[in-house]
Amino acid sequence: MYLSRLHLQNWRTYADATFEFNAPSEHRSVVLIGAMNGHGKTSFLLSLYLGLFGRFGLRHCEGFAAYDSGQDFKTYRDAITKFRRNTADSSEPTVIDITLTPSWRDSSEEEKVRVVRRWYFSGRNEPKQGSAFEEVDIYVGDRLQKPTTIDKDPIVLAHERVERNLFEAHVAPAFFFDGEQAQKLIESQGERGLKKAVEVMFGTKVVEELAETMNQYLLRMRQTTGGRRRCSEQQQELDDKLKERDVLSEQIGKKQADLQKLENDKEQKEQQRSNLQEELARMGGMNNLTYAQVEADYVRAEKEQVDAEKALGSLVRQLGLALGTWRLAPAIQNRLRTEALREDWESLKRGTIDNREKVLAAALPEPDPILGDLPQQTRSALRDRFAIALESIYNPPPSNCAENFLLGHVKGDARSRVLQLLAQAQSIGSAKIRGAAKRARDARDAFEEAKSRKERMQDVPVTTQQIREKLDTLNSEIQQNIHGIGAIENELKVLKANLHELNKRIGEIREQLARLGPEQRRIAVAERVCRALEELQESLRPATTARLESYVTRHFVNIADRRFRTATVSLAPGQPPQLVFGNGHPAMLLETNSGFERRAFGIAFTLALAEITHRRVPLVIDTPLGNADSVYRPRTLKALADFDLDQIIILTHDKEVTPDLVEHIRGQISQKFLVEYQEAENASIVHPDSYFTR
Amino acid sequence: MKAPPCFEDLESKKIIRNICEQHRIDMELLKDLCEIVNVHAGSGRRIGLPEDIETVLDRFIKNGRES
């Protein structure tokens, strides 16, 4: 929500002036209003207190802190007369017309609120008497709000309406204040006042009022409605029984969890027991064998292993060449066979040629009884023919014999032995080796088993004893589990029976309550509401204070001198605000600090209040920096501009927020005004979009 | 009508909700009753306040929010 318009007529130095404020944007929330001393800054601020809250806002004006808005009408009339422009025409009223408009960040339910307050004076410029003096019109949206009762002072009614739509009068100084006033706020109201402001803004005050209203309602209902006691007692019993049932249900849940745990534990132990029993059974089987048997088996296995390994070694040695060449064996065998054929062929041929003379002599003897006495030439020709015929017997050589000798060094018996070895490698070599290797492997396994058995045999008495001890422990634990499970099951039975009874009773009470009249049922609910509200007030108060302390600390540390960096603001009950230091320094009362520290605290409190209450109320500060030094000024100004509010209106003179200082927040300024008192017109004139120059 | 800020604030809402649960009422009932208090405080009239409270209580009972 932001201040969208302020119209002042015959108000202090303002004759007839209007401030029209732009709707704030996300990053530009600061409005600067420059005015020299006496030109209209404080008048602007006072107009907000008195325009919005009338006499209920007077005590926030300087010099009226002790004012009692309930009774003292004269002081109020005098004050307004004093604030009225001294040259005003008596026929014209003094008017403050304020419009607050929801910003883009407010919910769509929020509506524009306009408060128009007029004060009337007589011909001698004296306040009119009675109700003729003051008049207030309130518009929500654009609708004029009419009084709903004639029993009440319309000004009081209007005031309540303003407070309802905006905020309560006594928290106004938390949002509209001058820097000095921020200090006074702490000094005059202290911790109680500050926290009260939070309670109002945070809504806990409404909770208090509701508690009071509900108690009154209950009292009235009890007086007018019969059977209160019955209803109340039944409702109380129902509440008690429901609480009892919650406790019982929780107990049952816990017992069921315990039961489940015990059952799981038992199951695990039973599994362990089963495993141990199996192991023991295996041990028992071994126990039946005599040690001698195991020893004999061991010796036999050891011997067999040695024999098998020897046999394998021997075979490998025997078949060494064959094993080495068995892959080439078929080719070598073929070659050797063809060369053997050639050797045979050559041998036969050579034998025939070697015997040629004998064969010719036998075929052509001399003298020849068949051919007779042939001429020598003929005989010689016949011999040649025979000789050629004889040789032609071995030509050509056999088709499968080698053409020459590649392996000519392997002949005769040597060739036969080689062929025999190759045949062995082919036919039986690999099978024999595999068989021998298998035998060796089996023998080795058998030996290992015999050896292991022999070793286990030696440990059997110790191991079985250990297993038996473990089994005894497990059996005992399982027994305990069984007892525990039984006990919990019994408890559960009892608890469930109780729950059943309780549910029956709850059902009965509910039926009885349902038969009660509507008044009694309302009383029952109202009583619960009252109890809840009572508890709520107790719980919310400390929580709210703790958060307020935390938020104020954050803003204060951000603005104040660096030496307060470790400080924490404490708003302990019954104590004035203090600064507590984490580094062991003694706590410091805020009121004993310098003026600017108190001012910084006031600003920090305001920011914290806006933050904790989520109220998007405009912040209006008259001279926020005061006489702060050149380090404080930009820091405080920046902290204000950075704060997430819709609108921050800063009223300043030319030596405070100087044009140079404005540069620090240039991007966050939404609007500037310059207010000047013009003697010729005897009035303050508002110049929009103007400001002090260098 | 907006609920008081403490009903919107996360931390205090948690506290309110817990207490409501303990007493078997709900936050809506409290919000509605706060609204009535606000309306009557703003208008300055007390006439009709008990009736407004009864309307809210009856709505709570009728909607079965009563345990």
Coordinates of all heavy atoms in Angstrom, one line a residue, chain A residues 620-690:
Chain A
V620 N 7.2 6.9 6.3 CA 7.5 8.4 6.1 C 8.4 8.8 7.2 O 8.1 8.7 8.4 CB 6.1 9.1 6.2 CG1 6.4 10.6 6.0 CG2 5.1 8.6 5.2
I621 N 9.6 9.3 6.8 CA 10.6 9.6 7.8 C 11.0 11.1 7.6 O 11.4 11.5 6.5 CB 11.8 8.7 7.8 CG1 11.4 7.3 7.7 CG2 12.7 8.9 9.0 CD1 12.6 6.3 7.6
D622 N 10.9 11.9 8.7 CA 11.3 13.3 8.6 C 12.7 13.3 9.1 O 13.0 12.8 10.2 CB 10.3 14.1 9.5 CG 10.7 15.6 9.5 OD1 11.5 16.0 8.7 OD2 10.1 16.3 10.3
T623 N 13.6 13.8 8.4 CA 15.1 13.9 8.7 C 15.6 12.6 9.3 O 16.0 12.6 10.5 CB 15.4 15.1 9.6 OG1 14.5 15.0 10.8 CG2 15.1 16.4 9.0
P624 N 15.7 11.6 8.5 CA 16.2 10.3 9.0 C 17.6 10.3 9.4 O 18.0 9.5 10.3 CB 16.0 9.3 7.8 CG 16.0 10.2 6.6 CD 15.4 11.5 7.0
L625 N 18.4 11.2 8.8 CA 19.9 11.1 9.0 C 20.3 12.1 10.1 O 21.3 11.9 10.8 CB 20.6 11.4 7.8 CG 20.2 10.6 6.5 CD1 21.0 11.0 5.3 CD2 20.3 9.1 6.8
G626 N 19.5 13.2 10.4 CA 19.8 14.1 11.4 C 21.2 14.7 11.2 O 21.6 15.0 10.1
N627 N 22.0 14.6 12.3 CA 23.4 15.2 12.2 C 24.4 14.0 12.0 O 25.5 14.1 12.5 CB 23.7 16.0 13.4 CG 23.5 15.2 14.7 OD1 23.1 14.0 14.6 ND2 23.8 15.8 15.8
A628 N 24.0 13.0 11.4 CA 24.9 11.8 11.2 C 26.1 12.2 10.4 O 26.0 13.1 9.5 CB 24.1 10.7 10.5
D629 N 27.2 11.5 10.6 CA 28.4 11.9 9.9 C 28.4 11.4 8.4 O 27.5 10.7 8.0 CB 29.7 11.5 10.7 CG 29.7 10.0 10.9 OD1 29.3 9.2 9.9 OD2 30.1 9.5 11.9
S630 N 29.5 11.7 7.7 CA 29.5 11.3 6.3 C 29.6 9.8 6.0 O 29.4 9.4 4.9 CB 30.7 12.0 5.7 OG 31.9 11.6 6.3
V631 N 30.0 9.0 7.0 CA 30.0 7.6 6.8 C 28.6 7.0 7.0 O 28.1 6.1 6.3 CB 31.0 6.9 7.8 CG1 31.1 5.4 7.6 CG2 32.4 7.5 7.6
Y632 N 28.0 7.5 8.1 CA 26.6 7.0 8.4 C 25.6 7.3 7.3 O 24.7 6.5 7.0 CB 26.1 7.6 9.7 CG 26.4 6.8 11.0 CD1 27.1 7.3 12.0 CD2 25.8 5.6 11.1 CE1 27.3 6.6 13.2 CE2 26.0 4.9 12.2 CZ 26.8 5.4 13.3 OH 26.9 4.6 14.4
R633 N 25.7 8.5 6.8 CA 24.7 9.0 5.9 C 24.4 8.1 4.7 O 23.3 7.6 4.6 CB 25.0 10.4 5.4 CG 24.8 11.4 6.5 CD 25.3 12.8 6.0 NE 25.1 13.7 7.0 CZ 24.6 14.9 6.8 NH1 24.2 15.3 5.6 NH2 24.4 15.8 7.8
P634 N 25.4 7.8 3.9 CA 25.1 7.0 2.7 C 24.7 5.6 3.2 O 23.8 5.0 2.5 CB 26.4 6.9 2.0 CG 27.5 7.5 2.9 CD 26.8 8.3 3.9
R635 N 25.3 5.1 4.3 CA 24.9 3.7 4.7 C 23.5 3.6 5.1 O 22.7 2.7 4.7 CB 25.8 3.3 5.8 CG 25.8 1.8 6.1 CD 27.0 1.4 6.9 NE 27.0 1.9 8.3 CZ 28.0 2.3 9.0 NH1 29.2 2.2 8.4 NH2 27.9 2.7 10.2
T636 N 23.0 4.6 5.9 CA 21.6 4.5 6.3 C 20.7 4.8 5.2 O 19.6 4.1 5.1 CB 21.4 5.6 7.4 OG1 22.4 5.5 8.4 CG2 20.0 5.5 8.1
L637 N 21.0 5.7 4.3 CA 20.1 6.0 3.2 C 20.0 4.8 2.3 O 18.9 4.5 1.8 CB 20.8 7.2 2.4 CG 19.8 7.9 1.4 CD1 18.6 8.5 2.1 CD2 20.6 9.0 0.7
K638 N 21.1 4.1 2.1 CA 21.1 2.9 1.2 C 20.3 1.8 1.9 O 19.5 1.1 1.2 CB 22.6 2.4 1.0 CG 22.7 1.5 -0.1 CD 22.9 2.2 -1.5 CE 23.1 1.2 -2.6 NZ 21.9 0.5 -3.0
A639 N 20.4 1.6 3.2 CA 19.7 0.6 3.9 C 18.2 0.9 3.8 O 17.4 -0.1 3.5 CB 20.1 0.6 5.4
L640 N 17.8 2.1 3.8 CA 16.4 2.4 3.7 C 15.9 2.1 2.3 O 14.9 1.5 2.0 CB 16.2 3.9 4.0 CG 16.1 4.3 5.5 CD1 16.1 5.8 5.6 CD2 14.9 3.7 6.2
A641 N 16.7 2.6 1.3 CA 16.3 2.5 -0.1 C 16.2 1.0 -0.5 O 15.4 0.6 -1.3 CB 17.3 3.2 -1.0
D642 N 17.1 0.2 0.1 CA 17.2 -1.2 -0.3 C 16.1 -2.1 0.3 O 15.8 -3.2 -0.1 CB 18.5 -1.9 0.2 CG 19.7 -1.4 -0.7 OD1 19.4 -0.9 -1.8 OD2 20.9 -1.5 -0.3
F643 N 15.5 -1.5 1.4 CA 14.5 -2.3 2.1 C 13.2 -2.5 1.2 O 12.8 -1.7 0.4 CB 14.1 -1.6 3.4 CG 13.2 -2.6 4.2 CD1 13.8 -3.7 4.8 CD2 11.9 -2.3 4.5 CE1 13.0 -4.6 5.5 CE2 11.1 -3.2 5.2 CZ 11.7 -4.3 5.7
D644 N 12.7 -3.7 1.3 CA 11.6 -4.2 0.4 C 10.3 -3.6 0.9 O 9.5 -4.2 1.5 CB 11.6 -5.7 0.4 CG 10.5 -6.2 -0.5 OD1 10.2 -5.5 -1.5 OD2 10.0 -7.3 -0.2
L645 N 10.1 -2.3 0.6 CA 8.8 -1.6 0.9 C 8.2 -1.0 -0.4 O 9.0 -0.7 -1.3 CB 9.0 -0.5 1.9 CG 8.9 -0.9 3.4 CD1 9.1 0.3 4.3 CD2 7.6 -1.5 3.8
D646 N 6.9 -0.7 -0.4 CA 6.4 -0.1 -1.6 C 6.8 1.3 -1.7 O 7.1 1.8 -2.8 CB 4.8 -0.2 -1.5 CG 4.3 -1.6 -1.7 OD1 5.1 -2.4 -2.3 OD2 3.2 -1.8 -1.3
Q647 N 6.9 2.0 -0.6 CA 7.1 3.5 -0.6 C 7.8 3.9 0.6 O 7.4 3.6 1.7 CB 5.8 4.2 -0.7 CG 5.9 5.7 -1.1 CD 4.5 6.3 -1.1 OE1 3.6 6.0 -0.3 NE2 4.2 7.1 -2.1
I648 N 8.9 4.7 0.4 CA 9.6 5.3 1.5 C 9.7 6.8 1.2 O 10.4 7.2 0.3 CB 11.0 4.7 1.7 CG1 10.9 3.2 2.0 CG2 11.8 5.4 2.8 CD1 12.2 2.4 1.8
I649 N 9.0 7.6 2.0 CA 9.0 9.0 1.8 C 10.0 9.7 2.8 O 9.8 9.5 4.0 CB 7.6 9.6 2.0 CG1 6.6 9.0 1.0 CG2 7.6 11.1 1.8 CD1 5.2 9.4 1.1
I650 N 11.0 10.3 2.2 CA 12.0 11.0 3.1 C 11.8 12.5 3.0 O 11.9 13.1 1.9 CB 13.4 10.5 2.6 CG1 13.6 9.0 2.8 CG2 14.5 11.3 3.4 CD1 14.9 8.5 2.3
L651 N 11.6 13.1 4.2 CA 11.5 14.5 4.3 C 12.8 15.0 4.7 O 13.3 14.6 5.8 CB 10.4 14.9 5.3 CG 9.0 14.4 4.9 CD1 8.1 14.2 6.2 CD2 8.3 15.3 4.0
T652 N 13.4 16.0 4.0 CA 14.8 16.4 4.3 C 15.0 17.8 4.0 O 14.3 18.4 3.1 CB 15.8 15.5 3.5 OG1 17.1 15.9 3.7 CG2 15.5 15.5 2.0
H653 N 16.0 18.4 4.7 CA 16.4 19.8 4.3 C 17.7 19.7 3.4 O 18.2 18.6 3.2 CB 16.7 20.6 5.5 CG 17.6 20.0 6.5 ND1 19.0 19.9 6.3 CD2 17.4 19.5 7.8 CE1 19.6 19.4 7.3 NE2 18.6 19.1 8.2
D654 N 18.2 20.8 3.0 CA 19.3 20.8 2.0 C 20.6 20.3 2.5 O 21.5 19.9 1.7 CB 19.4 22.2 1.3 CG 19.8 23.2 2.3 OD1 19.6 23.0 3.5 OD2 20.4 24.2 1.9
K655 N 20.8 20.3 3.8 CA 22.1 19.9 4.3 C 22.1 18.4 4.8 O 23.1 17.9 5.2 CB 22.5 20.7 5.6 CG 22.6 22.2 5.3 CD 23.8 22.4 4.4 CE 23.9 23.9 4.1 NZ 24.8 24.2 2.9
E656 N 20.9 17.8 4.6 CA 20.9 16.4 5.1 C 21.0 15.4 3.9 O 22.1 14.9 3.6 CB 19.5 16.1 5.8 CG 19.5 14.8 6.6 CD 18.2 14.4 7.0 OE1 17.2 14.8 6.4 OE2 18.1 13.6 8.0
V657 N 19.9 15.2 3.1 CA 20.0 14.4 1.9 C 20.4 15.3 0.8 O 19.6 15.8 0.1 CB 18.7 13.6 1.6 CG1 18.9 12.7 0.4 CG2 18.3 12.8 2.8
T658 N 21.7 15.6 0.7 CA 22.2 16.6 -0.2 C 22.1 16.0 -1.7 O 22.1 14.8 -1.8 CB 23.7 16.9 0.1 OG1 24.4 15.7 0.0 CG2 23.8 17.5 1.5
P659 N 22.2 16.9 -2.7 CA 22.2 16.3 -4.1 C 23.3 15.3 -4.3 O 23.2 14.3 -5.0 CB 22.4 17.6 -4.9 CG 21.8 18.7 -4.1 CD 22.1 18.3 -2.6
D660 N 24.5 15.5 -3.6 CA 25.6 14.5 -3.8 C 25.2 13.2 -3.2 O 25.5 12.1 -3.7 CB 26.9 15.0 -3.1 CG 27.5 16.2 -3.8 OD1 27.2 16.2 -5.1 OD2 28.2 17.0 -3.2
L661 N 24.5 13.2 -2.0 CA 24.1 12.0 -1.4 C 23.1 11.3 -2.2 O 23.0 10.0 -2.2 CB 23.6 12.4 0.0 CG 23.6 11.3 1.1 CD1 25.0 10.6 1.2 CD2 23.2 11.8 2.4
V662 N 22.2 12.0 -2.8 CA 21.2 11.4 -3.6 C 21.7 10.5 -4.7 O 21.1 9.5 -5.1 CB 20.3 12.6 -4.3 CG1 19.4 12.0 -5.4 CG2 19.5 13.3 -3.2
E663 N 23.0 10.8 -5.1 CA 23.6 10.0 -6.2 C 23.7 8.5 -5.7 O 23.7 7.6 -6.5 CB 25.0 10.5 -6.5 CG 25.0 11.9 -7.3 CD 24.2 11.8 -8.5 OE1 24.4 10.8 -9.3 OE2 23.3 12.6 -8.8
H664 N 23.9 8.3 -4.4 CA 24.0 6.9 -3.9 C 22.8 6.1 -4.1 O 22.9 4.8 -4.1 CB 24.3 6.9 -2.4 CG 25.7 7.4 -2.1 ND1 26.0 8.7 -1.9 CD2 26.9 6.7 -1.9 CE1 27.3 8.8 -1.6 NE2 27.9 7.6 -1.6
I665 N 21.6 6.7 -4.3 CA 20.4 5.9 -4.4 C 19.6 6.4 -5.7 O 18.4 6.2 -5.8 CB 19.5 6.1 -3.2 CG1 19.2 7.5 -2.9 CG2 20.1 5.4 -2.0 CD1 18.0 7.7 -1.9
R666 N 20.4 6.9 -6.6 CA 19.7 7.5 -7.8 C 18.8 6.5 -8.5 O 17.6 6.9 -8.8 CB 20.8 7.9 -8.8 CG 20.3 8.3 -10.2 CD 21.5 8.6 -11.1 NE 22.1 9.9 -10.9 CZ 21.6 11.0 -11.3 NH1 20.5 11.0 -12.1 NH2 22.2 12.2 -11.1
G667 N 19.2 5.3 -8.6 CA 18.3 4.3 -9.4 C 17.1 3.9 -8.6 O 16.3 3.1 -9.1
Q668 N 17.0 4.3 -7.3 CA 15.9 3.8 -6.5 C 14.9 4.9 -6.2 O 13.9 4.7 -5.4 CB 16.5 3.2 -5.2 CG 17.2 1.9 -5.4 CD 18.2 1.6 -4.3 OE1 19.2 2.4 -4.2 NE2 18.0 0.6 -3.6
I669 N 15.1 6.1 -6.8 CA 14.2 7.2 -6.5 C 13.0 7.2 -7.5 O 13.2 7.1 -8.7 CB 15.0 8.5 -6.6 CG1 16.0 8.6 -5.5 CG2 14.0 9.7 -6.5 CD1 16.9 9.8 -5.6
S670 N 11.8 7.2 -6.9 CA 10.6 7.2 -7.7 C 10.2 8.6 -8.1 O 9.7 8.9 -9.2 CB 9.6 6.5 -6.9 OG 8.3 6.9 -7.3
Q671 N 10.4 9.6 -7.1 CA 9.8 10.9 -7.3 C 10.6 11.9 -6.4 O 11.0 11.5 -5.3 CB 8.4 10.9 -6.9 CG 7.4 11.5 -7.9 CD 6.0 11.3 -7.5 OE1 5.7 10.3 -6.8 NE2 5.1 12.1 -8.0
K672 N 10.6 13.2 -6.8 CA 11.1 14.2 -6.0 C 10.2 15.4 -5.9 O 9.5 15.7 -6.9 CB 12.5 14.7 -6.6 CG 13.6 13.7 -6.5 CD 14.8 14.4 -7.1 CE 15.9 13.4 -7.5 NZ 16.9 14.0 -8.4
F673 N 10.1 16.0 -4.8 CA 9.3 17.3 -4.6 C 10.2 18.3 -3.9 O 11.1 18.0 -3.1 CB 8.1 17.0 -3.7 CG 7.1 16.1 -4.3 CD1 7.2 14.7 -4.1 CD2 6.0 16.6 -5.1 CE1 6.2 13.9 -4.6 CE2 5.1 15.7 -5.6 CZ 5.2 14.4 -5.4
L674 N 9.9 19.5 -4.2 CA 10.6 20.6 -3.5 C 9.4 21.5 -2.9 O 8.5 21.9 -3.7 CB 11.5 21.5 -4.4 CG 12.3 22.5 -3.7 CD1 13.3 21.9 -2.7 CD2 13.1 23.4 -4.7
V675 N 9.4 21.7 -1.6 CA 8.4 22.5 -1.0 C 9.1 23.8 -0.6 O 10.1 23.8 0.1 CB 7.8 21.8 0.2 CG1 6.7 22.7 0.9 CG2 7.2 20.5 -0.2
E676 N 8.5 24.9 -1.0 CA 9.0 26.2 -0.7 C 8.0 27.1 -0.1 O 6.8 27.2 -0.6 CB 9.6 26.9 -2.0 CG 10.9 26.3 -2.4 CD 11.4 27.1 -3.6 OE1 10.6 27.3 -4.6 OE2 12.6 27.4 -3.7
Y677 N 8.4 27.8 1.0 CA 7.5 28.8 1.5 C 7.6 30.1 0.8 O 8.8 30.6 0.7 CB 7.8 29.0 3.0 CG 6.9 30.0 3.7 CD1 5.5 29.7 4.0 CD2 7.3 31.3 4.0 CE1 4.7 30.6 4.6 CE2 6.5 32.2 4.6 CZ 5.2 31.9 4.8 OH 4.4 32.8 5.4
Q678 N 6.5 30.6 0.3 CA 6.6 31.8 -0.5 C 5.9 32.9 0.3 O 4.7 32.9 0.6 CB 6.0 31.7 -1.9 CG 6.9 30.7 -2.7 CD 6.4 30.6 -4.2 OE1 5.4 31.2 -4.6 NE2 7.2 29.8 -4.9
E679 N 6.7 33.9 0.6 CA 6.2 35.0 1.5 C 5.1 35.8 0.8 O 4.1 36.1 1.5 CB 7.4 35.9 1.9 CG 8.2 35.3 3.0 CD 9.1 36.4 3.6 OE1 8.7 37.5 3.8 OE2 10.2 36.0 4.0
A680 N 5.2 36.0 -0.4 CA 4.2 36.7 -1.2 C 2.9 36.1 -1.0 O 1.8 36.8 -0.8 CB 4.6 36.8 -2.6
E681 N 2.8 34.8 -1.0 CA 1.5 34.1 -0.9 C 1.3 33.7 0.5 O 0.2 33.1 0.8 CB 1.5 32.9 -1.9 CG 1.6 33.3 -3.3 CD 1.5 32.1 -4.2 OE1 0.7 31.2 -4.0 OE2 2.2 32.2 -5.3
N682 N 2.3 33.8 1.4 CA 2.2 33.4 2.8 C 1.8 31.9 2.8 O 0.9 31.5 3.6 CB 1.2 34.3 3.5 CG 1.3 34.0 5.0 OD1 2.3 33.5 5.5 ND2 0.2 34.4 5.7
A683 N 2.4 31.1 2.0 CA 2.0 29.7 1.9 C 3.2 28.8 1.3 O 4.0 29.4 0.6 CB 0.8 29.5 1.1
S684 N 3.1 27.6 1.8 CA 4.1 26.6 1.2 C 3.6 26.1 -0.1 O 2.4 25.7 -0.2 CB 4.3 25.4 2.1 OG 5.0 25.9 3.3
I685 N 4.5 26.1 -1.2 CA 4.1 25.7 -2.5 C 4.8 24.4 -2.8 O 6.0 24.3 -2.6 CB 4.4 26.8 -3.6 CG1 3.9 28.2 -3.1 CG2 4.0 26.4 -4.9 CD1 2.3 28.3 -3.0
V686 N 4.1 23.5 -3.4 CA 4.7 22.2 -3.7 C 5.1 22.2 -5.2 O 4.3 22.4 -6.1 CB 3.6 21.0 -3.5 CG1 4.2 19.7 -3.9 CG2 3.2 21.0 -2.1
H687 N 6.4 21.9 -5.4 CA 6.9 21.8 -6.8 C 7.2 20.3 -7.1 O 8.2 19.8 -6.6 CB 8.2 22.6 -7.0 CG 8.0 24.1 -6.6 ND1 7.3 25.0 -7.5 CD2 8.4 24.8 -5.6 CE1 7.4 26.2 -6.9 NE2 8.0 26.1 -5.7
P688 N 6.4 19.7 -7.9 CA 6.7 18.3 -8.2 C 7.9 18.2 -9.1 O 8.2 19.2 -9.8 CB 5.5 17.8 -9.0 CG 4.4 18.8 -8.8 CD 5.1 20.1 -8.5
D689 N 8.6 17.1 -9.1 CA 9.8 16.9 -10.0 C 10.9 18.0 -9.8 O 11.6 18.3 -10.7 CB 9.4 16.8 -11.4 CG 8.4 15.8 -11.7 OD1 8.5 14.7 -11.0 OD2 7.4 16.0 -12.4
S690 N 11.0 18.5 -8.6 CA 12.1 19.5 -8.3 C 12.8 19.0 -7.0 O 12.2 18.3 -6.2 CB 11.5 20.9 -8.0 OG 11.0 21.4 -9.2

